Amino acid sequence: MAIYDYTVLDRKGNEVSMADFKGKVLLIVNTATGCGFTPQYKGLEELYQKYHDKGLEILDFPCDQFGHQAPGDDEEIHEFCQMKYKTSFDNFKKIEVNGENEIPLYTFLKSQKGFAGFTGIKGAIMNQVVGKIDPDFKNNASIKWNFTKFLVDREGNVVERFESTVEPKKIDEKIEQLL
């Protein structure tokens, strides 16, 4: 299967074919509104403003699997993002990214790019936090935390996975290369 074979649900519950994004560069992110990484919404919006007209789409999938940091329903999450971070990219329906209820799109994404390792100042902290939850976390492809980002090229290839410790601005140059 290819990324364009999957369907997802928008925040109102309508099916959206990933094929609708053919020819676009995608940044697919599992997000949360009450997380230490939530301020990354600002950086995501900056990338969206800078590159949307050139073909970038940001697909925002709220996820409550990590510390229950995405409370509220889909509309409340959307309103929070618009009010607090002035996001103009749309939020999709809240999902699960790991386990028996994970959406097939995330099963596919993880099969294409495994865990990339935590980096930066917050990397050591995340290694400790996630290591307590899953001692074998470095050896499996599961999503470790909120704001894991998958970069997909215009042909639908998953080219890179960025863990939650990677700020959106650090992805800018890679997005520009793909556009």
Side-chain angles (χ1 to χ4, degrees):
M1 294 215 15
I3 196 164
Y4 300 128
D5 296 328
Y6 294 93
T7 58
V8 294
L9 297 176
D10 69 15
R11 75 175 189 279
K12 297 191 185 305
N14 302 308
E15 282 195 1
V16 176
S17 171
M18 290 298 294
D20 292 353
F21 301 105
K22 276 186 178 174
K24 303 280 188 177
V25 170
L26 306 177
L27 190 61
I28 302 172
V29 190
N30 65 297
T31 61
T33 53
C35 175
F37 295 109
T38 299
Q40 286 190 20
Y41 267 120
K42 181 178 187 288
L44 291 171
E45 179 62 19
E46 288 169 356
L47 289 174
Y48 188 73
Q49 289 298 322
K50 185 173 181 181
Y51 294 120
H52 180 251
D53 289 345
K54 295 177 181 170
L56 174 69
E57 292 292 343
I58 294 179
L59 308 186
D60 172 5
F61 290 94
C63 177
D64 198 36
Q65 282 188 284
F66 306 100
H68 300 295
Q69 296 177 340
D73 63 28
D74 296 310
E75 206 52 47
E76 290 169 329
I77 290 169
H78 178 69
E79 288 173 16
F80 170 87
C81 294
Q82 285 194 312
M83 287 174 43
K84 178 111 173 122
Y85 295 102
K86 312 256 186 292
T87 57
S88 54
F89 53 87
D90 211 359
N91 315 95
F92 285 79
K93 190 150 198 63
K94 191 188 294 187
I95 62 163
E96 290 189 13
V97 296
N98 293 326
E100 63 184 43
N101 296 318
E102 73 185 43
I103 66 167
L105 173 64
Y106 265 82
T107 305
F108 173 78
L109 291 170
K110 294 183 295 184
S111 77
Q112 300 300 297
K113 291 291 174 188
F115 177 60
F118 292 117
T119 57
I121 297 168
K122 296 179 182 175
I125 295 165
M126 289 306 296
N127 282 330
Q128 288 180 341
V129 169
V130 175
K132 288 178 183 169
I133 298 164
D134 177 7
D136 193 41
F137 76 95
K138 291 181 181 175
N139 299 314
N140 63 62
S142 69
I143 303 299
K144 311 305 177 201
W145 209 256
N146 307 308
F147 289 89
T148 299
K149 296 164 274 302
F150 289 91
L151 186 59
V152 179
D153 69 14
R154 290 184 187 270
E155 288 76 48
N157 302 302
V158 182
V159 295
E160 201 154 349
R161 172 175 166 167
F162 302 93
E163 301 304 327
S164 49
T165 52
V166 177
E167 293 285 334
K169 67 183 173 199
K170 299 276 188 192
I171 305 170
D172 186 302
E173 190 174 305
K174 302 224 184 244
I175 291 171
E176 190 171 38
Q177 289 169 1
L178 294 178
L179 291 169

